[in-house]
Amino acid sequence: YGSEPGEFNSWGSKLEVPTSYDPADFFQTGINVTNSVSLSTGNQKSQTYISGASTNAKGIIPSNEYNKYNFTFRHTANLIENKLDLDLNVMYIRQDNQYMISQGQYFNPLLPLYLFPRGDDIEKYKVYERYNVDRNFKTQYWPYGDMGLSMQNPYWIINRNFITNTKNRYIIGAALKYNIFDWLNVIGRVKLDDNTNVFEKKFYASTIKQFASETGYYSNENTNTRQSYADVLLSANKTINNKIGLTANVGASYMDDHRFKTTGFGGNLGLVPNHFHFSNVVNGLPNQNISIPLQTQSLFGTAQLSYRNMIFVDATARNEWPSSLANTSQSSFFYPSLGLSAIASDLLRIPKDVLSYLKVRGSYSEVGNASSLLGITVPTYSYVGGSPATSTFLPPTWAEPERTKSWEAGVNMRFFRNKISFDATYYNANTFNQMFYRELPPSAPWGGMYVNAGKVNNWGIEASLGIKQAITKEIEWSSNVVFSMNRNKIVTLVDKPQVVSDGGVSWTIQPVDTLKMSVLETYQTWLVKGESMGDMYASSLVLDMYGNIKIDGQSGTVKPDYTKFYKVGNVNPKYNIGFRNSISYKNFTLGFLIDGRFGGECISSTQAVMDQFGVSAVTAEARDNGGAMVYGYPISAKSYYSTIGGGKSGILSEYVYSATNIRLREASLSYTHPVSLFNNTIKSVTASITGRNLFMFYNKAPFDPELTSSTGNYYQGIDYFMQPSLRSVGFNLKFQF
């Protein structure tokens, strides 16, 4: 199906000759080349190690590049024989990348490519700029405009909207170790990690006005991050009467992190189009931001007590004094752990021919986290337009660190002289005192406040079953199946009233059982008491009193309802299974990994927008069948799909898919030639070919469900013009001298 003249959508009549347009033609084959070399030399008292590596890659979208170079130098020396050791190391990393766009509509060529009208010819838009007589230079050629989706010519985006990032990182470290006795030593370590990042944008003249003026846009931002770390550690390793073993560490550490300074400028260009220099930026205010540093002092200790190497007791303890607790009622927090394990096969003297090894273990641990409080307990004022802006929230002087208390139990088993192995772990964890933002009443001078609240429970099982068997003298086979599952439940949110006072005035924050954590037009993530993290809520069509889609009697079609949101699924899988096999024959090794994710749901907003513009296969099928069928009643395909796919990013309850998928995750073949070559200069050569993410055995979603739209907790499982997942095939050659 084509498009009417001048129309961008593809709701026109059926083409006499089917279009040959394929968005896949836009992509290129990505290439990733990695080279590395290392050299080690020295004697009994002094050793030196030097290495260098480079990674040069081009992505599947033209103009996407990534280059990384790293160099390492390490020198160790024994200054006083058997007493004093010195360890020095230096690392330099440089990274350059261009156009690292993953998804969304801004500067994303996939959106105009996927929606491109099937009645038009893409070839004429590959000449993305044409001479403009009125402006006396070339400007973007794209007669369709942005279509309300920030759309541009896809070839203009990759050639005239430059987004680059350059990083330089230096890591310098030193350690000095003194052996007090053969069983007791003390070590001191220091490390400096300095990272400079230059982020630059260049948008040429005729980029849409949402991003640039008629002459273009330029910005340059320089960020410096520095982390300093130092610690001292006293370590003991002692065996008493060949029965009792003690390994212990006691230490203190200092860390100064997140001390970064951002400087730069940005704004629309002035009189000279496409002259990207700060002197040509008009009304561009320089920005400068100095962050609040996170400084942490810690005291910690670990100990393991063993009896005949069969029974082990492990304990840890740590107390931290982080600066993120400044102005709160507590200045530090403490968290311990305790574990017990036993080699039951040795204790019970079980015959090795059947049960070769049996270990049982259990542990309890607590973890504290105060970094989420960084910057909110100390009143700060940002600069906006050259003037200080007031804070919108009340600093939480009552805040406490987030806490996680967990316990686990497990077993490790080996059978028939280690031919069969079985490992299993059960864990249960409760997280308390998460930080939530709550709005205050209009009478309050603050817009909102942060509160500690909530309890989330996670429990799960991890298990693996493996076999290692010699089939013949030259053939060996190993196989391993891994199973994992996790369940979570929101036990409480804000479960009791909280009274807040400031300046003699008090407000009461009422308990809540529901919190909205991410809010888009037709997609939301809620936290609901009694439900699970990862629940997705989406808008729906107008429903009747029985919960069925209502067909409007006058228009004969469906209508959207943007006022109500319904739970449509959860992004988390029910369980995961991985199946790995390896077969070796002489110097050859063949391996493959099949894994599957079972359960969970995902949403495709990409599919919704493609339906709206009439370019998806499902809209063509509906037109072939005389309309979209709703409860057996045919509705105009254009009316139906323009409704459920259009409006405010689509009626996403209609675009929920199973996230279950099974794939060939990896396959590899390697060969090692151990014979000395070139007069023993080369000791061995290993050549291997490896394929990753090769194909799907099963997947019903219109995109790869394991692609993630965010690294955060509250924007998962939704696809909005994400780049497709990649199949890679690589060749590796390794020489050992």
Side-chain angles (χ1 to χ4, degrees):
Y1 289 89
S3 52
E4 299 296 335
E7 292 287 335
F8 189 78
N9 62 53
S10 297
W11 287 109
S13 57
K14 202 164 191 175
L15 298 169
E16 294 183 5
V17 179
T19 177
S20 61
Y21 173 71
D22 186 352
D25 294 337
F26 175 81
F27 297 105
Q28 65 183 12
T29 299
I31 298 175
N32 188 325
V33 180
T34 300
N35 290 279
S36 64
V37 60
S38 63
L39 171 68
S40 59
T41 184
N43 53 41
Q44 187 175 3
K45 291 188 175 182
S46 177
Q47 297 85 37
T48 301
Y49 173 84
I50 303 173
S51 69
S54 67
T55 299
N56 304 99
K58 292 186 177 181
I60 61 172
I61 292 182
S63 84
N64 172 217
E65 296 182 3
Y66 174 87
N67 299 289
K68 181 180 179 181
Y69 307 91
N70 58 280
F71 303 93
T72 301
F73 170 83
R74 184 179 182 186
H75 180 74
T76 60
N78 181 239
L79 303 180
I80 303 176
E81 187 172 358
N82 298 326
K83 281 294 183 181
L84 187 62
D85 297 311
L86 176 67
D87 188 343
L88 300 174
N89 61 85
V90 178
M91 180 180 291
Y92 168 71
I93 303 169
R94 179 179 174 86
Q95 179 179 308
D96 302 293
N97 60 64
Q98 176 176 284
Y99 200 70
M100 305 291 283
I101 302 297
S102 59
Q103 73 151 1
Q105 66 186 38
Y106 295 155
F107 307 107
N108 190 347
L110 301 190
L111 191 143
L113 283 169
Y114 287 4
L115 303 181
F116 187 76
R118 299 315 193 245
D120 204 348
D121 182 9
I122 192 66
E123 292 297 321
K124 60 187 179 183
Y125 299 102
K126 291 182 179 179
V127 183
Y128 52 86
E129 57 185 5
R130 301 186 178 185
Y131 183 74
N132 188 316
V133 177
D134 296 331
R135 306 199 64 186
N136 199 29
F137 61 86
K138 292 181 179 181
T139 57
Q140 177 180 187
Y141 176 64
W142 186 248
Y144 291 110
D146 72 350
M147 299 301 296
L149 295 171
S150 306
M151 199 181 300
Q152 301 184 88
N153 183 316
Y155 298 94
W156 172 272
I157 292 174
I158 63 175
N159 289 287
R160 290 293 180 260
N161 291 159
F162 291 107
I163 302 175
T164 61
N165 204 11
T166 301
K167 296 181 179 180
N168 286 283
R169 186 179 182 188
Y170 304 87
I171 303 175
I172 303 173
L176 195 62
K177 177 182 177 182
Y178 182 73
N179 297 311
I180 303 172
F181 304 109
D182 58 354
W183 57 271
L184 182 67
N185 65 74
V186 61
I187 183 172
R189 298 177 294 187
V190 293
K191 185 182 74 171
L192 176 64
D193 188 343
D194 188 273
N195 195 338
T196 300
N197 181 40
V198 178
F199 184 61
E200 194 172 48
K201 295 179 181 179
K202 296 179 181 179
F203 303 152
Y204 277 65
S206 71
T207 294
I208 58 175
K209 293 183 179 179
Q210 182 178 357
F211 306 119
S213 69
E214 293 185 352
T215 53
Y217 175 91
Y218 178 56
S219 70
N220 184 296
E221 186 178 273
N222 189 309
T223 301
N224 178 258
T225 305
R226 177 171 295 180
Q227 181 190 82
S228 303
Y229 177 84
D231 67 16
V232 60
L233 186 67
L234 182 66
S235 301
N237 190 342
K238 185 73 172 177
T239 301
I240 304 173
N241 296 328
N242 295 321
K243 295 181 179 180
I244 299 175
L246 173 65
T247 301
N249 300 280
V250 179
S253 67
Y254 167 89
M255 183 185 69
D256 193 343
D257 199 3
H258 291 272
R259 184 189 296 273
F260 63 84
K261 180 178 181 181
T262 301
T263 58
F265 60 89
N268 293 322
L269 298 183
L271 296 176
V272 185
N274 303 329
H275 178 52
F276 302 104
H277 192 267
F278 73 91
S279 61
N280 192 38
V281 174
V282 296
N283 299 324
L285 293 173
N287 71 73
Q288 180 171 337
N289 176 47
I290 300 177
S291 79
I292 300 174
L294 172 62
Q295 191 178 103
T296 304
Q297 294 90 38
S298 305
L299 291 176
F300 54 88
T302 66
Q304 182 186 81
L305 191 64
S306 64
Y307 177 73
R308 291 185 178 273
N309 284 326
M310 293 187 290
I311 300 176
F312 303 87
V313 178
D314 295 270
T316 70
R318 187 179 183 94
N319 200 87
E320 293 189 0
W321 289 264
S323 60
S324 52
L325 289 178
N327 288 349
T328 65
S329 57
Q330 61 183 97
S331 60
S332 69
F333 57 95
F334 172 80
Y335 50 97
S337 72
L338 182 65
L340 176 64
S341 60
I343 311 298
S345 54
D346 291 342
L347 286 171
L348 303 177
R349 298 182 179 180
I350 300 174
K352 303 296 184 181
D353 291 337
V354 178
L355 184 58
S356 308
Y357 180 80
L358 172 61
K359 179 180 179 180
V360 293
R361 49 190 167 78
S363 65
Y364 171 82
S365 65
E366 295 186 17
V367 177
N369 176 26
S371 61
S372 60
L373 303 174
L374 182 64
I376 66 173
T377 63
V378 179
T380 57
Y381 303 91
S382 59
Y383 275 83
V384 179
S387 301
T390 58
S391 177
T392 59
F393 61 87
L394 178 63
T397 57
W398 54 85
E400 300 178 19
E402 181 181 292
R403 307 281 298 203
T404 298
K405 300 179 180 181
S406 62
W407 64 272
E408 71 173 47
V411 60
N412 305 89
M413 306 175 73
R414 306 289 183 269
F415 301 91
F416 308 115
R417 296 292 178 180
N418 299 321
K419 291 181 179 180
I420 298 177
S421 62
F422 176 74
D423 300 331
T425 301
Y426 171 84
Y427 62 87
N428 194 302
N430 290 290
T431 302
F432 307 86
N433 290 339
Q434 294 101 325
M435 189 60 66
F436 296 109
Y437 182 79
R438 298 294 313 281
E439 294 184 353
L440 288 171
S443 59
W446 305 90
M449 58 173 283
Y450 289 91
V451 297
N452 282 116
K455 176 183 177 182
V456 177
N457 174 258
N458 276 274
W459 68 270
I461 297 173
E462 297 174 351
S464 67
L465 177 64
I467 183 172
K468 187 175 182 180
Q469 177 67 46
I471 306 300
T472 67
K473 291 182 178 180
E474 296 180 328
I475 300 176
E476 188 173 272
W477 169 57
S478 64
S479 182
N480 194 47
V481 178
V482 178
F483 171 87
S484 65
M485 61 169 287
N486 181 79
R487 299 289 184 269
N488 77 79
K489 182 179 180 180
I490 302 170
V491 181
T492 62
L493 288 173
V494 183
D495 58 346
K496 57 184 178 180
Q498 298 191 17
V499 180
V500 182
S501 299
D502 182 56
V505 182
S506 299
W507 304 273
T508 301
I509 302 299
Q510 297 298 333
V512 294
D513 292 336
T514 302
L515 287 172
K516 294 181 181 180
M517 303 309 296
S518 66
V519 179
L520 301 178
E521 290 179 325
T522 55
Y523 170 91
Q524 295 182 359
T525 302
W526 296 0
L527 299 181
V528 179
K529 180 180 178 180
E531 300 293 333
S532 299
M533 298 275 291
D535 286 344
M536 301 183 295
Y537 293 78
S539 58
S540 174
L541 295 168
V542 174
L543 306 177
D544 62 20
M545 66 178 65
Y546 303 106
N548 300 315
I549 297 174
K550 185 176 182 180
I551 301 176
D552 184 72
Q554 295 182 346
S555 63
T557 188
V558 294
K559 290 186 176 181
D561 183 1
Y562 298 119
T563 63
K564 297 179 181 179
F565 283 77
Y566 299 88
K567 180 181 174 180
V568 295
N570 188 284
V571 301
N572 298 307
K574 298 296 184 182
Y575 55 90
N576 294 278
I577 297 178
F579 179 45
R580 181 181 292 276
N581 282 267
S582 178
I583 301 172
S584 61
Y585 171 71
K586 293 185 177 180
N587 298 324
F588 291 90
T589 302
L590 173 67
F592 65 89
L593 170 64
I594 298 173
D595 66 15
R597 164 197 166 120
F598 300 88
E601 288 77 33
C602 57
I603 290 176
S604 178
S605 190
T606 306
Q607 183 70 34
V609 180
M610 291 177 65
D611 284 356
Q612 176 193 2
F613 283 83
V615 296
S616 61
V618 68
T619 60
E621 294 169 0
R623 281 174 276 188
D624 288 343
N625 296 330
M629 304 300 291
V630 179
Y631 302 131
Y633 181 83
I635 296 177
S636 162
K638 180 178 181 180
S639 174
Y640 177 76
Y641 286 108
S642 296
T643 300
I644 68 170
K648 300 178 179 180
S649 302
I651 304 300
L652 295 185
S653 60
E654 300 296 312
Y655 294 95
V656 180
Y657 304 90
S658 169
T660 297
N661 66 89
I662 305 171
R663 72 185 73 202
L664 180 59
R665 176 73 66 180
E666 183 179 300
S668 63
L669 177 64
S670 66
Y671 172 75
T672 299
H673 193 298
V675 180
S676 300
L677 301 174
F678 303 109
N679 296 323
N680 206 32
T681 302
I682 299 178
K683 298 184 181 301
S684 68
V685 178
T686 300
S688 62
I689 184 169
T690 302
R692 292 185 174 88
N693 204 33
L694 292 173
F695 60 84
M696 295 276 195
F697 294 101
Y698 179 90
N699 179 39
K700 296 299 183 182
F703 68 103
D704 187 343
E706 294 190 12
L707 291 178
T708 179
S709 53
S710 170
T711 57
N713 292 326
Y714 305 116
Y715 189 54
Q716 298 292 331
I718 183 169
D719 158 46
Y720 188 53
F721 292 95
M722 279 196 290
Q723 291 187 28
S725 60
L726 305 180
R727 174 192 298 113
S728 67
V729 178
F731 177 73
N732 182 276
L733 194 60
K734 180 180 179 180
F735 298 89
Q736 185 172 356
F737 297 89

